[in-house]
Each structure stands twice: as structure tokens, then as C-alpha cells.
């Protein structure tokens, strides 16, 4: 706290961040994620794969679209063989519980436990384009993705 109060070294960080911050680059990145979002949402809709949640704004730029699938871990392994790496953002493991809700992977803890078991994030990174989005959808379809719903699995 004394260092913060004395502002020791913080001006260097502020100067560096000031040089890295580029509103034009941020807008280009946001637009690319929005384009990927639109393309992937349409492609998923045509293929029958329903996202768990979709952005509710007119001009979103999320980092990922979450889906829930029955064989999530097998799907991830198959996708990795095709060099498609999708993260799991709900990794609840036995012994590691949310103190507030006491959810664990072995219990039926509602939606969080459902997503811990079935959730997968389809990445909308701004470095990707339509070809990458279509390649991801094609891989999901070729795997034979079976969507999971909380009512069926929890």
C-alpha cells in the first residue's frame, strides 16, 4: 500500500498502457467478433445446434457462444485432433465447490452443475474469420453433436 500511495513505478505502467491503447484497433477487434458472432449464430441455427444463451444487444461482440452437449469431453478431444481448441468455462470438479451454492460435479446443483458437465465455449476471436467459423461448425456436425438440455441431464 505504501508503494501505491507513493505512486512508485505506476507511471511506467500507465505510459505503456497509454501507448498500447488504440481505440481504432479496439473497434476493429469488436467488429470482427461481431461478424464472427453473426456468422456462427446463423450457421448454428441452420445446423440445429442451439446456443445456451445469445447476446441480447443489437450489436454484440462477445468472446464466445456457449453451447451444451451430451459428450462434451469426447467432442473436445475430437476437435483437438482437427486443431480446434475450445475452452470449458465452467470447470467444477469434485472437492472444489462454490462456497455460496455448494455445487460439485457429482451433485445435481442446478444450471451451474449442468454447464460444468456439458458447457463448451465456441470462440469468436477477432483473429478468426468466416472460414474458421464454418470449419468449427462443420467439425461439430461431423462429430454428430447431441445438444444437452438441463431437463434431460440434471
Amino acid at each position: 500500500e505504501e508503494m501505491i500511495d507513493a505512486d512508485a513505478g505506476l507511471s511506467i505502467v500507465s505510459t505503456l498502457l497509454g501507448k498500447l491503447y488504440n481505440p481504432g484497433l479496439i473497434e476493429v477487434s469488436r467488429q470482427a467478433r461481431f461478424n464472427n458472432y453473426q456468422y456462427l449464430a446463423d450457421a448454428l441455427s441452420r445446423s440445429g445446434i442451439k446456443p445456451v444463451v445469445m447476446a441480447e444487444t443489437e450489436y454484440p461482440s462477445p468472446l464466445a457462444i456457449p453451447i451444451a452437449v451430451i459428450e462434451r469431453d469426447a467432442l473436445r478431444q475430437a476437435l483437438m485432433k482437427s486443431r480446434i481448441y475450445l475452452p470449458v468455462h465452467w470447470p467444477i470438479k469434485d472437492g472444489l465447490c462454490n462456497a455460496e451454492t455448494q455445487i460439485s460435479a457429482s451433485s445435481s446443483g442446478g444450471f451451474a452443475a449442468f454447464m460444468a458437465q456439458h458447457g463448451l465455449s465456441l470462440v469468436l476471436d477477432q483473429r478468426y474469420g468466416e472460414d474458421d467459423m464454418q470449419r468449427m461448425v462443420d467439425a461439430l456436425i461431423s462429430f454428430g453433436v447431441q445438444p444437452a438440455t438441463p431437463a434431460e441431464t440434471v
Side-chain angles (χ1 to χ4, degrees):
E1 259 186 67
E2 289 176 16
M3 288 178 64
I4 293 173
D5 290 339
D7 196 27
L10 293 180
S11 62
I12 294 169
V13 173
S14 297
T15 302
L16 176 62
L17 288 176
K19 290 178 181 178
L20 293 175
Y21 176 72
N22 180 336
L25 183 57
I26 291 171
E27 178 57 26
V28 167
S29 296
R30 193 193 61 68
Q31 182 64 49
R33 285 194 316 274
F34 173 70
N35 293 344
N36 288 341
Y37 171 84
Q38 282 189 313
Y39 186 90
L40 189 57
D42 290 342
L44 290 173
S45 178
R46 287 190 307 273
S47 68
I49 300 170
K50 186 175 181 189
V52 173
V53 66
M54 294 297 290
E56 295 184 12
T57 64
E58 185 177 332
Y59 198 49
S61 62
L63 299 175
I65 294 178
I67 62 171
V69 296
I70 292 175
E71 295 185 24
R72 191 241 355 251
D73 295 335
L75 171 61
R76 282 187 79 215
Q77 291 301 313
L79 292 173
M80 284 181 199
K81 290 177 184 172
S82 296
R83 300 179 55 113
I84 298 172
Y85 304 96
L86 300 178
V88 172
H89 285 115
W90 295 270
I92 299 173
K93 300 183 189 267
D94 285 332
L96 299 174
C97 296
N98 177 325
E100 223 172 87
T101 57
Q102 293 300 306
I103 296 168
S104 72
S106 61
S107 70
S108 61
F111 185 73
F114 166 76
M115 288 304 289
Q117 188 174 7
H118 301 285
L120 188 62
S121 297
L122 306 181
V123 178
L124 303 171
D125 193 290
Q126 63 269 14
R127 296 168 293 180
Y128 301 158
E130 287 183 3
D131 291 343
D132 300 302
M133 297 297 104
Q134 189 59 54
R135 188 169 153 267
M136 191 179 343
V137 171
D138 291 344
L140 292 170
I141 292 168
S142 70
F143 181 81
V145 167
Q146 295 179 17
T149 59
E152 296 170 352
T153 56
V154 176

